[in-house]
C-alpha cells in the first residue's frame, strides 16, 4: 500500500511553502517528519501552521522516466527571452502574447495558468488559484530541504506526460531563484538561467493545452490526481 503525503505551511491565509511525497507504509513517519520540519523552517520565515495530510493512494501508480535535460548558454534576461521565444515559435505558437502573460502575472498564484495554445483562452476554472499538478514523487527523494531543480524536473515530467499538454513555461516565485525552464515531450526540460531579475517575488507557470473541450476535465484530473513516480536514475 502506498500513501500520498502533502504538506502546506501558512501564516494566516498566506501560503509559505508546500511539498509532497508518495511513500510506502514503513517510510511514512520519516517522510512526515521531514515534511513537517521543512514547513517549519522555510527561509520566508516561520510558519504559523503546518498541515500534513496523509491519504492512501487508490489509483495504480504510473512510473515514468524524467525528461532529458538541456542547458543552453544564457547570459541575461534578454537571451533567456530569446530562448523562450524560439521554443514557442518552433511549436507554431504566438510567442508574444504567451510571454506577456507569463511575465505579466501580477498576483501570486498557487497553481498554473492552463492556456489553450491556439485560441490563447485561459481554461482554468479558478484563475486566482490556477491548476495544480500534484500527487507525484521522484526516485532518490530524501524529503529534506527544497531542491528546486529536482522538484521542477519531477513536476514537468509528470505534466509533459499528459496527452493534452504540449508544453510548459516556468518562472520561480522565490526572489533569488532566477533559473526557470521550458519543457515538453519533444524538447525535454530546457533549463533557462536569468529568466527573471534577481529579487522579483513574482513567478508563474503556464501549461499549454491542446485538445477537445471535453478533454479539459480529463487533463486536470490527470494533473491533480494521477499518482506518478518519476525515475531520475
Ligand atoms: N502545480 C502548478 N503550478 C504550480 C505548482 C504546482 N504544483 N507549484 C507552483 N506552481 C506555480 C505557481 O504559480 C508558482 O507561483 C510558480 O509555479 C512557481 O513556483 O532547473 O521554484 O515553486 O533549476 O516557486 C525551477 C527550477 C524552480 C529550475 C521553479 O517554482 C531549475 C520553482 P515555484
Ligand atoms: Mg516558490
Amino acid at each position: 500500500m502506498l500513501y500520498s503525503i502533502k504538506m502546506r505551511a501558512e501564516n494566516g491565509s498566506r501560503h509559505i511553502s508546500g511539498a509532497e511525497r508518495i511513500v510506502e507504509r514503513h517510510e511514512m513517519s520519516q517522510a512526515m517528519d521531514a515534511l513537517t520540519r521543512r514547513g517549519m523552517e522555510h527561509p520566508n520565515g516561520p510558519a504559523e501552521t503546518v498541515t500534513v495530510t496523509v491519504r492512501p493512494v487508490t489509483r495504480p501508480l504510473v512510473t515514468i522516466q524524467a525528461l532529458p535535460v538541456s542547458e543552453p548558454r544564457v547570459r541575461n534576461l534578454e537571451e533567456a527571452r530569446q530562448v523562450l521565444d524560439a521554443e514557442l515559435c518552433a511549436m507554431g505558437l504566438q510567442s508574444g502574447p504567451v510571454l506577456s502573460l507569463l511575465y505579466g502575472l501580477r498576483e501570486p498564484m498557487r497553481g498554473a495558468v492552463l492556456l489553450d495554445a491556439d485560441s490563447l483562452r485561459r481554461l482554468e476554472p479558478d484563475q486566482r488559484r490556477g491548476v495544480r499538478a500534484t500527487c507525484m514523487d521522484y526516485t532518490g527523494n530524501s524529503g529534506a530541504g527544497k531542491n528546486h531543480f529536482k522538484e521542477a524536473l519531477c513536476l514537468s515530467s509528470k505534466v509533459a506526460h499528459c496527452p493534452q499538454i504540449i508544453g510548459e513555461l516556468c518562472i520561480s516565485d522565490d526572489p533569488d531563484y532566477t533559473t526557470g525552464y521550458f519543457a515538453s515531450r519533444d524538447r525535454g526540460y530546457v533549463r533557462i538561467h536569468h529568466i527573471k531579475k534577481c529579487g522579483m517575488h513574482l513567478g508563474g507557470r503556464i501549461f499549454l493545452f491542446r485538445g477537445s473541450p471535453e478533454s479539459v476535465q480529463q487533463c486536470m484530473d490527470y494533473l491533480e490526481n494521477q499518482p506518478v513516480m518519476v525515475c531520475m536514475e
Side-chain angles (χ1 to χ4, degrees), residues 146 172-174:
K146 170 152 180 158
S172 175
D173 59 13
D174 302 10

Side-chain angles (χ1 to χ4, degrees), residues 109 111-112 131 133 146 148-149 171-173 177 179 189 191 205:
M109 285 170 71
V131 172
K146 170 152 180 158
H148 286 85
F149 168 63
I171 300 178
S172 175
D173 59 13
Y177 204 83
T179 300
Y189 182 97
R191 262 196 116 185
R205 270 191 167 92

Side-chain angles (χ1 to χ4, degrees), residues 59-64 131-136 154-165 185 207 215-230:
R59 292 198 200 179
L61 180 73
V62 169
T63 300
I64 62 173
V131 172
R132 285 187 57 80
T134 62
C135 208
M136 66 196 124
C154 175
L155 185 149
S156 64
S157 299
K158 174 176 181 179
V159 171
H161 198 72
C162 179
Q164 293 89 5
I165 302 291
R185 282 187 293 282
F207 298 160
S215 62
V216 174
Q217 198 52 49
Q218 212 179 318
C219 166
M220 290 194 301
D221 178 57
Y222 167 87
L223 294 174
E224 298 200 352
N225 302 315
Q226 172 63 55
V228 170
M229 184 62 65
V230 178

